Amino acid sequence: MANPVILTVDDDPAVSRAVARDIRRRYGDRYRVLRASSGPEALDALREVKLRGEQVALLLADHRMPEMTGVEFLEAAMDIFPAARRVLLTAYADTDAAIEAINVVDLDHYLLKPWHPPEEKLYPVVDGLLEAWSVTPDAASIEIRVVGHRWSAPSFKVRDFLARNLVPYRWLLSDDPEGARLLDAAGATEADVPLVVTAEGKALVAPNETELAALAGLTVVPASDFYDLVVIGGGPAGLGSAVYGASEGLRTVLVERRATGGQAGQSSRIENYLGFPDGVSGAQLTDRARRQAVKFGAELLSAREVVGLSEAGGARLLRFGDGSEIAAHTVVLATGVSYRVLDAPGLADFTGRGVFYGAAATEAPSCVDQDVYIVGGANSAGQAAVHFSRYAARVHLLIRGADLTASMSRYLIDQLERIDRITVHPHTAVVGGTGQDHLQQLTLCDTRTGQARSVDTSWLFIFIGAEPRTDWLDGVLVRDGRGFIVTGPDLLTGGRRPAGWSLSRDPYHLETSVPGVFAAGDVRAESVKRVASAVGEGAMAVSLVHRYLEAQ
């Protein structure tokens, strides 16, 4: 972390050099000494320091400056670094102004010029001020800072992207003093949020995911244009393929559209995964798998969406959304599934503003002592209910069926029954939502009687259905009626291979209707929708990749 800053401001070059020299001589090993020749120049320097997330310990400003007096500068500087200690340098004739400044800018001290010898007239004062500042310094930010509105969907998307990619950040509301200071330092307004500021001080207004990934230090550009294996999708199946592919010597790249981990990565705790008797969070499992893949040499591309797949002789071409391409001998499709949109009047207007798809773990601390509603009866919904029960006053789990036994693991049902804050509402559907700038009320309906009732809440989390993101493969691969990718023996109709199949053999077990392209995990038709099976299929796909390559 950079040393705290001491800033001196004086329009007289000789005085400016002298004060900076004396300060640097005694404090230069612990503090970074900056000097400015005017108030506006000094304010620009402070804004840059603020954006970089550094600390300012002390401000020393001459009173008589033409563009901006020292008092005016210190008053403006308080809005940027309110905890910095403030000293006014004055001539004897300006002592009245200095005394007045004690009330105007909460002045800590004023020094008469000249201050020689500094050992007697300067250093004792500065020593005391720095010691006082060190007890309650400004909080330095070494991580990314995000400034936004509480109920802003774009602000939520930025926070969710960073959280799911395991990038530490600090969240600041735009109407909080620190958030407002960052907006001002970046020359932005509340209308511009979200504002993202890196630890190096680079500010970006409303960045898209590719820009955000680059700011966060994630890799967005492939290192090569040709690979042995391209894995599309960073959930458990994709990470499994990346780990096994790279560990077995294949030039492997994993391409993820949003964040590694998939739906499993959002789980607060997975308790039935082999080898973790005390459970493991989806984020922890994802982080370990990512590091394992990188250790073996896999390349991970973030915020890149693949929109096209085609054959080019023995290669498979993959086209990104920006028109660029990469090629590979083989491809593993592990794009998983997404939650189905809950089609009820009013809900679409509040997506990211009270209505969330998936766990949205970043929102849990904001739900303290409030009622949270969760729609869904599978394991992901149950895990979310357990997680939110640690914060919310009450968690309401809404299901259409009579109970959870048909869709949820027994261990999780037992866990829900032991938590007093969780209530399961059978035969219940959400049929509407209303509010002003965010969700404020839901309309619930009893699916047996049709009777509706309204409940007040600002929190709805949806875990329904499983829709594969495979529209971009329409006409390229064989899919079933719901869009899941058909593989292996299921491709054979009456003993005949799929149309366009160019090889003399039948498709391998996880192979799609295009030779050398495999599917693993939830996106594959008839797959078991569990983390362990997805990882297993990802590993199995790599063994079939080897078999395919050896036969070429």
Side-chain angles (χ1 to χ4, degrees), residues 89 121 179 220 247 336 426 451 529:
L89 304 177
K121 298 184 177 180
V220 296
S247 68
Q451 184 175 0
K529 305 300 188 280

Side-chain angles (χ1 to χ4, degrees), residues 143-152 154-156 158-159 162 168-174 176 178-179 182 193-195 362-363 366:
E143 71 276 284
I144 288 175
R145 286 154 291 166
V146 179
V147 182
H149 296 309
R150 178 66 197 86
W151 298 111
S152 160
S155 297
F156 165 73
V158 167
R159 295 163 56 213
L162 293 175
Y169 71 92
R170 183 180 173 203
W171 166 240
L172 299 165
L173 294 175
S174 57
D176 284 346
E178 182 65 11
L182 272 177
V193 299
L195 171 72
T362 55
E363 301 304 298
S366 300

Side-chain angles (χ1 to χ4, degrees), residues 7 9 39 42-43 46 59 61 65 68-77:
L7 176 65
V9 192
L43 290 175
L46 289 180
L59 302 168
M65 294 186 291
M68 177 185 284
T69 68
V71 171
E72 291 170 339
F73 162 72
L74 292 174
E75 186 174 11

Side-chain angles (χ1 to χ4, degrees), residues 520-538:
D522 290 357
V523 74
R524 192 178 67 82
E526 304 303 325
S527 64
V528 178
K529 305 300 188 280
R530 287 290 185 267
V531 175
S533 62
V535 174
E537 286 195 4

Side-chain angles (χ1 to χ4, degrees), residues 15 35 87 96 108 157 275 378 434 540 550:
V15 175
R35 64 188 181 98
V87 176
D96 289 343
D108 292 294
K157 287 183 67 176
T434 59
M540 182 180 175
E550 289 166 1

Side-chain angles (χ1 to χ4, degrees), residues 177-188:
E178 182 65 11
R181 284 191 283 270
L182 272 177
L183 286 173
D184 180 68

Side-chain angles (χ1 to χ4, degrees), residues 253-275:
V253 60
L254 182 149
V255 182
E256 171 53 46
R257 183 177 65 94
R258 183 162 176 77
T260 51
Q263 288 186 3
Q266 299 182 69
S267 296
S268 57
R269 183 144 303 266
I270 303 168
E271 297 192 52
N272 59 348
Y273 188 69
L274 183 67

Side-chain angles (χ1 to χ4, degrees), residues 1 41 75 95 97 110 126 160 212 221 318 381 464 483 491 510 514:
M1 188 185 303
E41 180 185 329
E75 186 174 11
T95 52
Y110 69 89
V126 174
D160 187 57
L212 198 58
V221 178
L318 297 162
I464 58 172
L491 287 167
L510 300 181
V514 172

